[in-house]
Amino acid sequence: MELKNLIKKFVPSPLLNFYHLSLSFLGAVFYGLPSRKLKVIGVTGTNGKTTTTEMITKILEENGFGVALANSTRFKIKEKEEKNELRMTMPGRAFLQKFLRKAVKERCQYAVLEVTSEGIVQYRHKFIDFDTAILTNLSPEHIERHAGFENYKRAKGELFQATKNIHIINLDDKNADYFLQFRAKEKYLYRKVNGKGPMAKIEIQKEGFSKTLKFSLSLNLLGDFNIYNALAAVCLGLSQGIDLAKCKRSLASFKGVEGRMEEVISKPFRAIVDYAFTPNALEKVYQTLVNRFIKQTKGQLICVLGACGGGRDKWKRPVLGKIAARYCDKVILTNEDPYDEDPMEIINQVAEGAQSQQGKSAVYKILDRREAIKKSLKLAKKDDVIIITGKGCEPSICLAQGKKIPWDDRKVLREEFKKIYEKI
């Protein structure tokens, strides 16, 4: 059993909470309460956090501001950056306070942080003075960790409760009302509206003032979900005095995030890598590819699917399988991050959901992820689309007893493609 699981099992919760809170306090004091010298923007939600933080950073940087960015893919302070290889979106043990201190030293005006429910539960957001809280969306995730969706939602709400200045909320999310109850000096509420092309509406609410903006938005990215991510970023720009035209111009040239709907191979078929690992995100990815490509070309959608990491969120494994079988012509189930669980047992649980759908899908179970990717390439024909989900640009596969093996879905995809097509 991993050390963190042993700690959870044998250390009383109040003592564990005190430990996490103390670390946050000591880190903030040791590094001189750096967030007081920055405008800190916290982006939370189930999906879209990383892309939203990247869009915000682009808008701010292109309008002359110094920005520090911490998300699931990288840590960046102005021009200096490094990959996030910690496998933690919101690291603990005073990491963020040290990061913010470096941002102050480099004279950044803003810090953009991806904020997770796990980070909130472990008080990693404490003693950070957030200027702005942003909600992308909310759907069931980490249910076992939080003992229910309502607790998960409340954890996200902690960020809004702690942030008194600016709130930015997705009004199209069915949980928006919960987040609207928290008080703030300014609120920016965004949603999509019917119209020719991607149309959007933003409501700005300040004390004694309200305004509504309706406009079109052009992006070079796949998926309606990216429209929502972009709207959150536009709201942030507007809240900082950057006009709408400048925000739109920055986003029009935004090329996306590594491992998020990233097209790795374009011919003779498409092969795309995406991070999606929640039911809601996975379904939106599949819907986007079917509507954008499959319906026009009459090709097949070939899906390489893992599951959530071992030891957590077991409830969603058959759900992911059902979704894949609903949209994909061929489903290849494979290993992802089993940790201390039997990876084949995880695959079998996903397969139960896939095989319960009496539809068109052929289901394959291939334990080795490289072999699964190779299989997808061998099955693909002209006009088909391969979509590999679950890891995006993550740099490793996590195995039992803390062992990690280097990994990159995109690199493996290119290597196996080259092997097959060099022979033709």
Side-chain angles (χ1 to χ4, degrees), residues 386-404:
I386 296 171
I387 174 66
I388 303 167
T389 56
K391 295 195 68 63
C393 62
E394 284 185 338
S396 60
I397 292 178
C398 297
L399 306 176
Q401 298 178 338
K403 183 181 177 183
K404 295 180 182 179

Side-chain angles (χ1 to χ4, degrees), residues 41-45 52 56 132-136 159-160 168 190 232 236:
I41 300 156
V43 180
T44 197
T52 301
I56 289 169
T132 304
I134 299 175
L135 175 74
T136 57
L159 175 64
F160 285 79
I168 297 172
Y190 62 96
L236 186 282

Side-chain angles (χ1 to χ4, degrees), residues 261-281:
M261 290 295 275
E262 183 177 349
E263 187 171 306
V264 179
I265 294 168
S266 300
K267 293 180 181 180
F269 44 76
R270 296 178 191 274
I272 295 167
V273 169
D274 191 77
Y275 185 58
F277 63 89
T278 70
N280 186 52

Side-chain angles (χ1 to χ4, degrees), residues 129-194:
D129 289 341
F130 286 94
D131 177 79
T132 304
I134 299 175
L135 175 74
T136 57
N137 51 69
L138 206 68
S139 60
E141 176 63 357
H142 305 307
I143 300 304
E144 293 165 6
R145 169 68 178 95
H146 293 284
F149 178 73
E150 289 303 311
N151 290 334
Y152 171 62
K153 183 170 68 175
R154 277 193 287 271
K156 297 289 190 181
E158 287 286 331
L159 175 64
F160 285 79
Q161 191 168 30
T163 305
K164 306 301 183 184
N165 195 21
I166 299 169
H167 290 178
I168 297 172
I169 297 170
N170 177 0
L171 275 187
D172 284 341
D173 189 87
K174 62 183 180 181
N175 295 287
D177 285 346
Y178 175 78
F179 294 90
L180 288 169
Q181 71 177 317
F182 298 106
R183 299 184 66 179
K185 293 179 182 177
E186 301 178 19
K187 292 189 179 185
Y188 292 74
L189 315 176
Y190 62 96
R191 71 188 330 159
K192 280 185 63 184
V193 294
N194 294 329

